[in-house]
Amino acid sequence: MHSATSLSSPPGIRHSPVLLIRARAGVSLVFLANGLGFANLVPRFPEIVEELGLSKSAFGQAVAAASVGALVAGLAASWLISRLTSAKVAGLGMLVVALALLGAGLARSWLVLAFCLLVVGGTDSIVDVAQNAHGLRVQRRWGASIVTSFHASWSLGAVLGAAMGQAMAGAGVGLGTHMVLTAVVLLVLSAGPLLAGWFLPGHDRDDRTPDQNKELDDAPEMRPATPPRRVRPVTILVLFVVGLLCAASMFPEDVAMNWSSLLLSEQGAGAGHVGLGLVALQGTMIVGRLVGDRIIDAVGQRAVIAWGGALVTLGMSIALLVSSVPGTLLGMAISGAGCAVAVPVTYSAADDVEGLPPGLGLTIVSWLARLAGLLAPPIVGRLADDHGLWVALAYGLLGGLIMVSCWPVLRRRHAGSQRRG
């Protein structure tokens, strides 16, 4: 924790340690709620598949609906934040997520399930941008890089959600009752800080310099008179590879979130233990994200992605070769360590791609990663119907191989220059 004298803020903005601590806690709670919500549903996937009589292909298509929603709605995040502020968008968005998850739990047909997951994915993409935007507001005033600690809160929420979900499943609690309780928890965690005024006051533009605000102003007379620069082909190629890296680093998380409960169920795990795959992966991700900033500063972005990819490859290979509950859990834990800070690193790299307006690289890479999230579940589901759920582990292994292969695209930086504050 830094003292008040070591904290820095944008020119002309005053702050107090108490305000910053409350704001950091508020953002952390929203990240926690965001991770906890969907994770509660994961241990109930085998039950949902059985009750609705879904094939793995149909289940994969329902899961892919979340990515469809994200692709469609995600582009509205910036517009909403500019009008409502990131704090309100994050807090209110989680209310919509809570209701949509409740609908998914009560669904009695594939169509209703897919629609609810569509709403979950679309709203979550907006919340994701908003919570990160407000977290970066706090970071700018905090005076040091703290963004990976927010992502650690998300991973903690995912672990707690999976544990809560499998406890409910193991106790025989009905899925509807379970999701009602989940919705109540999400409402308390997300709406509480908003109503209590824990977030930073004012608009998001308050933390930007006059020059930055001038660049972002919507009024034509405030825009630079120079014509837009032409984007070079090499810039497009770099952006595509960074987007591929970002998507690949999410493959292991997709395996844990969407497929691990079904895989563990097939391997003989009881209803109260099928969520342990998600717990294993996100558990090591929590540790990795808590120390992530120090690791990035010490070894650099390239090493983090290269060695992280090697760990993901090792973990998914163990899960594939051992093919048992212990092997799957060990593989998930190792893979979680490998991809812990990969997404923040690729987001940072996207934001630093030369030759692009501020924020455009991050927006494009995020969109590309969500596109991969749309295409992968139906393909994995179809192949799993034909060949078995080991295909999901092969999908995670592919993510590790991509990370190992594509890390050279990241820019070299000297130790200590990774911090963004």
Side-chain angles (χ1 to χ4, degrees):
M1 174 64 187
H2 293 261
S3 65
T5 57
S6 67
L7 297 173
S8 62
S9 64
I13 294 181
R14 292 189 173 187
H15 55 259
S16 70
V18 174
L19 173 67
L20 291 178
I21 292 172
R22 282 192 321 201
R24 183 173 182 177
V27 174
S28 296
L29 286 176
V30 174
F31 269 86
L32 182 75
N34 191 242
L36 184 142
F38 192 82
N40 259 278
L41 198 60
V42 171
R44 312 304 294 254
F45 279 162
E47 181 181 338
I48 292 173
V49 168
E50 183 178 354
E51 285 189 359
L52 299 183
L54 302 178
S55 66
K56 294 179 181 65
S57 178
F59 173 73
Q61 291 168 3
V63 171
S67 294
V68 173
L71 287 173
V72 174
L75 298 176
S78 178
W79 182 85
L80 288 171
I81 290 171
S82 67
R83 283 151 181 79
L84 298 177
T85 74
S86 57
K88 291 180 180 178
V89 171
L92 296 176
M94 280 307 303
L95 306 187
V96 178
V97 170
L99 294 176
L101 285 172
L102 175 59
L106 297 174
R108 292 297 175 263
S109 70
W110 178 90
L111 184 61
V112 175
L113 175 65
F115 174 76
C116 290
L117 292 181
L118 179 83
V119 176
V120 169
T123 310
D124 177 75
S125 67
I126 294 173
V127 171
D128 184 42
V129 174
Q131 66 188 8
N132 275 284
H134 204 78
L136 290 172
R137 282 192 69 191
V138 177
Q139 177 175 272
R140 281 190 286 270
R141 299 191 185 197
W142 194 268
S145 179
I146 57 175
V147 68
T148 59
S149 69
F150 294 133
H151 288 266
S153 295
W154 188 96
S155 293
L156 176 61
V159 169
L160 294 177
M164 178 179 170
Q166 67 184 18
M168 292 284 184
V173 177
L175 185 54
T177 302
H178 173 198
M179 297 316 296
V180 168
L181 294 174
T182 301
V184 171
V185 173
L186 295 185
L187 293 179
V188 172
L189 290 175
S190 56
L194 183 62
L195 295 176
W198 282 14
F199 296 112
L200 294 178
H203 198 278
D204 292 64
R205 286 193 177 191
D206 293 346
D207 286 342
R208 294 181 176 271
T209 64
D211 288 341
Q212 287 174 314
N213 280 330
K214 184 177 180 180
E215 290 176 2
L216 295 172
D217 203 291
D218 292 329
E221 63 272 14
M222 296 296 287
R223 295 175 184 167
T226 56
R229 288 181 296 178
R230 202 171 178 181
V231 179
R232 295 183 300 167
V234 67
T235 299
I236 297 175
L237 177 61
V238 169
L239 200 59
F240 174 79
V241 177
V242 173
L244 181 62
L245 264 177
C246 184
S249 66
M250 294 179 181
F251 288 0
E253 291 188 73
D254 289 346
V255 173
M257 189 70 75
N258 298 327
W259 302 104
S260 66
S261 60
L262 299 180
L263 179 63
L264 288 170
S265 180
E266 283 194 359
Q267 291 174 341
H273 298 90
V274 295
L276 287 177
L278 179 59
V279 172
L281 182 130
Q282 291 293 344
T284 52
M285 287 188 74
I286 293 173
V287 177
R289 286 174 166 178
L290 286 175
V291 299
D293 288 314
R294 294 180 182 178
I295 293 175
I296 294 169
D297 282 344
V299 303
Q301 293 180 338
R302 289 177 144 207
V304 166
I305 294 297
W307 286 104
L311 285 176
V312 171
T313 301
L314 174 63
M316 289 297 168
S317 296
I318 289 174
L320 270 167
L321 295 174
V322 178
S323 189
S324 66
V325 171
T328 297
L329 296 181
L330 176 61
M332 290 294 170
I334 295 174
S335 298
C339 64
V341 297
V343 171
V345 165
T346 53
Y347 277 3
S348 176
D351 207 33
D352 288 340
V353 173
E354 295 181 351
L356 296 175
L360 181 58
L362 178 58
T363 300
I364 293 174
V365 164
S366 177
W367 192 87
L368 288 173
R370 293 186 184 278
L371 178 62
L374 166 64
L375 299 176
I379 295 174
V380 172
R382 180 61 181 270
L383 292 174
D385 276 334
D386 295 337
H387 304 288
L389 274 170
W390 65 267
V391 171
L393 296 174
Y395 164 57
L397 174 61
L398 175 62
L401 294 175
I402 292 173
M403 291 171 67
V404 169
S405 303
C406 296
W407 61 265
V409 74
L410 300 178
R411 294 169 60 186
R412 288 184 181 275
R413 292 186 179 183
H414 298 293
S417 66
Q418 310 297 332
R419 258 179 214 280
R420 300 173 67 85

